[in-house]
Amino acid sequence: MGVIKLPEESINYFKRNLDDIFISGNLAEGFWNKKISEFVKNLTRAQAALPTNSNGAGMVALLTIYRHYFGRTNVLIQSNTMYGVKTMVYTGGCNLSGFIQCRLESLMPSLQDVRNAIGFLDQKEKDKLVILLSHIGGIINPDIEAIAELCKKENIILLEDCAHSFGAT
């Protein structure tokens, strides 16, 4: 097993701020979350950013919200993904409706793969659907913008697991 080597700059930053972190009592929330939220909003030009303790916790929270408030109970995930993505679906109280095939070239679904996966669904089923796609190895799905447009047109919620591609362009 390898060891994660933190950059000296990161270690020094942590040391300089350690007292503030412990004195505040906000180890997981508060000032530091606000600071990372502002950093992410500026970096990504997003209107909002809410830090969570892990990608899984964030996805479970979103799936739970979409299920509880909007009746989105069914989820399609891509066939090439981590096992944890599958468990997020169940933990969020949703049904795993199936898998979307992936292209060998990108290891992610193409626009046509998504069309094939939803093609047999009627509008009532689409209105209950969430598609959860993962960017793989720091690479953004080449068809993600077209997939997002298709989902918007079909009234399907698209969630992107960007844990491996944060900051990628």
Side-chain angles (χ1 to χ4, degrees), residues 132-146:
L132 173 52
L133 298 182
S134 301
H135 300 297
I136 303 294
I139 299 170
I140 297 171
N141 184 317
D143 288 352
I144 197 62
E145 290 180 13

Side-chain angles (χ1 to χ4, degrees), residues 93-158:
C94 296
N95 306 308
L96 181 60
S97 296
F99 298 91
I100 303 170
Q101 292 302 308
C102 295
R103 299 183 68 97
L104 187 57
E105 299 82 15
S106 66
L107 303 177
M108 293 174 267
S110 68
L111 175 60
Q112 189 58 52
D113 293 323
V114 174
R115 279 191 181 125
N116 293 344
I118 66 170
F120 64 92
L121 301 175
D122 62 28
Q123 194 57 53
K124 191 174 181 180
E125 292 170 308
K126 290 176 185 176
D127 290 343
K128 292 183 175 188
L129 188 62
V130 174
I131 291 179
L132 173 52
L133 298 182
S134 301
H135 300 297
I136 303 294
I139 299 170
I140 297 171
N141 184 317
D143 288 352
I144 197 62
E145 290 180 13
I147 291 168
E149 283 299 316
L150 173 65
C151 288
K152 184 185 277 188
K153 180 181 157 211
E154 297 288 347
N155 193 34
I156 296 170
I157 300 295
L158 173 63

Side-chain angles (χ1 to χ4, degrees), residues 12-160:
N12 291 334
Y13 180 85
F14 181 77
K15 285 178 180 178
R16 282 192 310 272
N17 292 286
L18 187 60
D19 287 343
D20 290 339
I21 293 168
F22 284 116
I23 290 169
S24 75
N26 294 318
L27 303 181
E29 298 160 351
F31 171 77
W32 293 99
N33 264 8
K34 184 175 182 182
K35 196 166 182 167
I36 192 69
S37 178
E38 292 302 319
F39 174 80
V40 170
K41 286 191 317 189
N42 289 332
L43 178 68
T44 62
R45 291 180 240 131
Q47 291 180 346
L50 178 64
T52 58
N53 69 335
S54 70
N55 176 53
M59 285 294 178
V60 167
L62 288 170
L63 289 169
T64 302
I65 289 167
Y66 282 121
R67 176 186 51 79
H68 183 77
Y69 291 104
F70 303 103
R72 301 296 180 134
T73 56
N74 301 321
V75 181
L76 287 174
I77 63 175
Q78 65 195 51
S79 59
N80 178 39
T81 193
M82 309 255 321
Y83 178 76
V85 173
K86 183 178 178 182
T87 64
M88 286 182 237
V89 173
Y90 297 125
T91 305
C94 296
N95 306 308
L96 181 60
S97 296
F99 298 91
I100 303 170
Q101 292 302 308
C102 295
R103 299 183 68 97
L104 187 57
E105 299 82 15
S106 66
L107 303 177
M108 293 174 267
S110 68
L111 175 60
Q112 189 58 52
D113 293 323
V114 174
R115 279 191 181 125
N116 293 344
I118 66 170
F120 64 92
L121 301 175
D122 62 28
Q123 194 57 53
K124 191 174 181 180
E125 292 170 308
K126 290 176 185 176
D127 290 343
K128 292 183 175 188
L129 188 62
V130 174
I131 291 179
L132 173 52
L133 298 182
S134 301
H135 300 297
I136 303 294
I139 299 170
I140 297 171
N141 184 317
D143 288 352
I144 197 62
E145 290 180 13
I147 291 168
E149 283 299 316
L150 173 65
C151 288
K152 184 185 277 188
K153 180 181 157 211
E154 297 288 347
N155 193 34
I156 296 170
I157 300 295
L158 173 63
L159 291 180
E160 294 178 62

